Amino acid sequence: MPFSAVDAISPAVEHTKQQLLRPFRFGQWIRLAFVGLLAGELGSGGGCNVPNPSHFPGRHGGGQFPMPGWGGADLAVFAGLIVTLLVAGFVLWVVLMYISSVMRFILFDSVLTKECHIRDSWNRRQGPGWHYFLWKLAYALVTLGVMTIVVGISLGFAFAMGWLNHPKEHIAPLVLAGIAVFFVIVVFVIAMAVIYVLTKDFVVPQMALEDIGAIEGWRRLWSMMKAEKTAYAGYVGMKIVLAVVASIVLGIVGFVLVLIILIPVAGAAIAAVLAAKAAGVGWTAGTITLAVLAGSGLLAFFFVLTSLISVPAIVFFPAYSIYFFAARYPALSAALYPAPAMAQISPGAPPPFEPPPLPPAPEPIG
């Protein structure tokens, strides 16, 4: 009988213990942290708030920042810097998405075989990684497009009804429309999140083992899900519960480490800023770039630290999906439970000892 969402927890926990602690290998721990970070298994997200120059009070005919400390720098310099950062950020996002796509297969291989070999898997997984990258790119574009359409239609409807011209006179319909749009967006985001989780948990193994595309993998998965709606719904629900528990535990550990490590670093950064200000160093293109680089380095250090303490979760959650899905996907079951190899007998060697047959039992008398 296939594993239920609850049944798959125990073998996944045992798998995690064996891979990480029996024996403990620091090198593999580091590699798994690296792979999990780049594969996006930490589930972390981030954003960047770009300041809008129109929010700053302007001077008539100046074209310069009037704020103290900016040194009368030309607005075009900062605008060019912001555009450069945005373009660089977009390129970096695309590159990291491709790396993450390949790393997803490397993580799958590492958990399935209990061995993490980044270089070998990177060379072997370029094909499925590329297909998965294209799927993720389409997924991002569809998500962004639908969100834009929903918000755009809502604003267009409000504008056509005249609600935006005199908002104080239409507070009730604006509030009700805002609540409706909010719930539509929430439902859509949840649905897209479920699609993403099911893809990386159940479509990626098919792509890895049979070299098929994401669309074909989803076609097969959809047939499986229709046959076992309750089992897959239970899996999604149980994974949410496990993710919440893991987030709480890792959050507590991470908070303690932040207090121990990052507070002194932040104190040193503040001291450096104050010393620079006392020396008369203002905000210029060079100092802003330096601050961005320093902040990026600190953020990268935080991600590395988080990934190191998250290695048990990085291994457990893929193992959990593997054990659940292996009971429903024969190719994965064969890879997870390989048949024992037949004993090889060298030529000329005597045959293995076999006990003699038992004598026939005597027939009963009478």
Side-chain angles (χ1 to χ4, degrees):
M1 182 177 179
F3 279 176
S4 67
V6 177
D7 296 333
I9 296 177
S10 180
V13 171
E14 183 62 26
H15 184 109
T16 304
K17 291 179 180 179
Q18 290 181 4
Q19 182 163 1
L20 297 181
L21 303 177
R22 301 172 185 170
F24 174 78
R25 291 170 290 175
F26 185 70
Q28 179 174 226
W29 193 286
I30 294 293
R31 291 192 295 272
L32 285 169
F34 178 75
V35 172
L37 175 63
L38 292 181
E41 189 61 26
L42 300 183
S44 59
C48 119
N49 297 322
V50 180
N52 188 346
S54 63
H55 293 168
F56 298 113
R59 268 193 283 193
H60 298 289
Q64 297 178 338
F65 281 101
M67 295 182 64
W70 290 91
D74 190 352
L75 177 62
V77 175
F78 291 96
L81 178 61
I82 291 174
V83 171
T84 301
L85 291 176
L86 289 176
V87 173
F90 175 76
V91 173
L92 181 62
W93 174 72
V94 173
V95 172
L96 288 178
M97 179 182 289
Y98 175 75
I99 294 175
S100 172
S101 301
V102 181
M103 284 294 177
R104 172 56 54 182
F105 291 90
I106 296 177
L107 180 60
F108 171 76
D109 293 338
S110 301
V111 175
L112 182 63
T113 63
K114 299 180 183 177
E115 293 289 342
C116 184
H117 301 290
I118 299 177
R119 183 180 302 176
D120 295 340
S121 293
W122 177 267
N123 294 330
R124 290 189 301 105
R125 294 307 190 181
Q126 290 297 313
W130 172 254
H131 292 120
Y132 187 46
F133 165 74
L134 294 178
W135 181 89
K136 288 174 66 175
L137 191 60
Y139 171 89
L141 293 176
V142 169
T143 302
L144 180 61
V146 172
M147 296 281 285
T148 303
I149 291 173
V150 170
V151 174
I153 290 177
S154 303
L155 291 176
F157 179 79
F159 180 79
M161 297 295 295
W163 297 347
L164 300 180
N165 296 330
H166 305 284
K168 293 183 179 180
E169 300 176 2
H170 305 89
I171 294 179
L174 284 174
V175 171
L176 293 177
I179 293 175
V181 172
F182 172 77
F183 277 106
V184 169
I185 291 177
V186 167
V187 171
F188 174 73
V189 169
I190 292 175
M192 295 303 289
V194 171
I195 290 174
Y196 182 80
V197 169
L198 294 177
T199 301
K200 74 182 182 67
D201 286 356
F202 302 140
V203 175
V204 164
Q206 299 179 64
M207 298 173 67
L209 296 176
E210 299 191 56
D211 195 23
I212 62 175
I215 303 301
E216 174 62 20
W218 254 108
R219 187 189 65 80
R220 298 181 181 184
L221 177 61
W222 188 251
S223 299
M224 300 179 195
M225 292 174 61
K226 288 193 296 184
E228 291 187 84
K229 299 182 182 69
T230 304
Y232 282 94
Y235 173 85
V236 173
M238 182 57 64
K239 189 158 188 179
I240 293 174
V241 173
L242 294 173
V244 171
V245 173
S247 298
I248 294 174
V249 174
L250 294 176
I252 294 174
V253 176
F255 179 75
V256 173
L257 290 178
V258 165
L259 292 179
I260 296 174
I261 298 175
L262 292 187
I263 285 183
V265 175
I270 294 174
V273 171
L274 294 177
K277 185 176 181 180
V281 178
W283 288 110
T284 64
T287 55
I288 291 178
T289 303
L290 183 61
V292 170
L293 292 176
S296 300
L298 187 61
L299 186 63
F301 175 77
F302 174 76
F303 280 143
V304 170
L305 182 64
T306 303
S307 63
L308 285 174
I309 65 176
S310 303
V311 167
I314 288 173
V315 174
F316 169 78
F317 283 103
Y320 177 63
S321 63
I322 285 174
Y323 279 94
F324 177 85
F325 195 47
R328 295 159 174 84
Y329 180 40
L332 181 57
S333 179
L336 183 62
Y337 307 107
M342 297 296 294
Q344 299 293 329
I345 303 176
S346 58
F353 171 79
E354 295 183 0
L358 295 175
E363 296 182 359
I365 300 175

